[in-house]
Amino acid sequence: MSDLSVKICGLSQAEHVAAAVEAGAKYIGFVFFPKSPRNVSLEQARTLALEVPPGVAKVALVVNADDAFLDDLTTTVPLDMLQLHGSESPERVADIKARYGLPVMKAVGVGDASDLAALDSYGAVADQLLVDTKAPKGADLPGGNGATFDWTLIAGRRWPVPWMLAGGLTQDNVAEAVRVTGARQVDLSSAVETAPGHKDSGLIQSFLAATRDI
C-alpha cells in the first residue's frame, strides 16, 4: 500500500467526489475562481462537501480572494483547508491563517531556478506548499493547465512544512515525478478530465490505482 497522498482538484459533481473518495484520495479540491471551467458556487460546494467523509480533507482553491468572499466561503462551506493560488504575499497568507483558523496551503509556480526562493518565503508562513508549474505569461488560469516543469529543480529540496507536487501529472508520469522529486503528496485536475472541467470517474480510479505501488 502506497503512502502517497493524492488530491483531486476541481471537482464539481457528486459522482466524481464519490469516485475520488472511493478510490482513496486524501484531499478533495473545490475551485472558486470564475475564470476557471472548474469553478463552483458556494452552495454547490457546500452540497458536495457535506458528502465527503471524515478523514478526507476538503480544500477550497481561491485566487487573490478578499475577506468578504472568504467570510462567505468559510461560513457556507465546511472546509478543512484553504489553498491560495494567486499572488498572495506571505503577509496575506499569515493574515488569512489568523483570521479563519484554517490550515493554509500556498501554491507557488516554478518555471526556473529563480522561482525557488519563493518556496522558502512561503514555507515560513503556510501550513503546506503546493509546488506547481508556473503559468505562462498572460494565462487566464494560475494552475490546472496540464503542463509539467523541470522536476530536477526541486530534487532533494525540502521545506519546513509538508508539500504537494502539481502540474501536468498523469498516471503515466507520476511514478517518475515522485522518483525525481521525492514528493509524498500529489495534486491533479486535468489528467482525470475528458475536457476542461469535465471529470471522469474511470480516469480518477485509474490514476489512484496507478499510485498504489509508488
Side-chain angles (χ1 to χ4, degrees):
M1 182 64 130
S2 172
D3 64 350
L4 187 71
S5 294
V6 177
K7 174 173 173 278
I8 305 293
C9 196
L11 291 160
S12 60
Q13 300 294 326
E15 65 182 290
H16 302 139
V17 171
V21 169
E22 182 181 349
K26 300 299 184 189
Y27 300 81
I28 298 296
F30 305 116
V31 173
F32 301 92
F33 184 52
K35 291 183 179 180
S36 172
R38 305 168 184 101
N39 184 57
V40 291
S41 69
L42 297 183
E43 289 303 327
Q44 187 180 4
R46 175 179 172 80
T47 299
L48 295 172
L50 288 171
E51 297 302 315
V52 178
V56 179
K58 302 174 293 294
V59 184
L61 184 160
V62 298
V63 179
N64 300 323
D66 60 20
D67 286 349
F69 179 79
L70 292 174
D71 287 348
D72 288 344
L73 171 63
T74 54
T75 55
T76 303
V77 185
L79 295 170
D80 300 297
M81 182 176 288
L82 294 170
Q83 177 180 327
L84 309 183
H85 216 109
S87 57
E88 301 90 357
S89 67
E91 293 76 19
R92 177 61 173 156
V93 173
D95 287 346
I96 289 173
K97 279 182 59 174
R99 180 179 176 93
Y100 298 101
L102 286 170
V104 173
M105 178 188 296
K106 179 65 181 89
V108 178
V110 174
D112 56 43
S114 68
D115 298 313
L116 300 179
L119 288 163
D120 296 320
S121 298
Y122 286 109
V125 292
D127 296 286
Q128 291 207 40
L129 293 170
L130 181 77
V131 187
D132 200 357
T133 303
K134 192 172 188 175
K137 282 189 176 180
D140 284 337
L141 305 179
N145 294 299
T148 60
F149 64 94
D150 179 0
W151 297 321
T152 63
L153 288 169
I154 61 168
R157 292 178 63 93
R158 296 297 177 264
W159 300 278
V161 294
W163 64 282
M164 186 175 291
L165 181 66
L169 297 176
T170 69
Q171 67 183 69
D172 296 323
N173 69 15
V174 64
E176 177 67 4
V178 167
R179 184 191 70 77
V180 173
T181 66
R184 298 316 303 163
Q185 300 191 111
V186 296
D187 173 279
L188 69 150
S189 183
S190 59
V192 290
E193 293 179 340
T194 55
H198 296 277
K199 293 291 190 285
D200 180 273
S201 295
L203 292 176
I204 291 171
Q205 291 161 349
S206 61
F207 181 91
L208 267 296
T211 68
R212 285 182 189 133
D213 296 323
I214 297 175

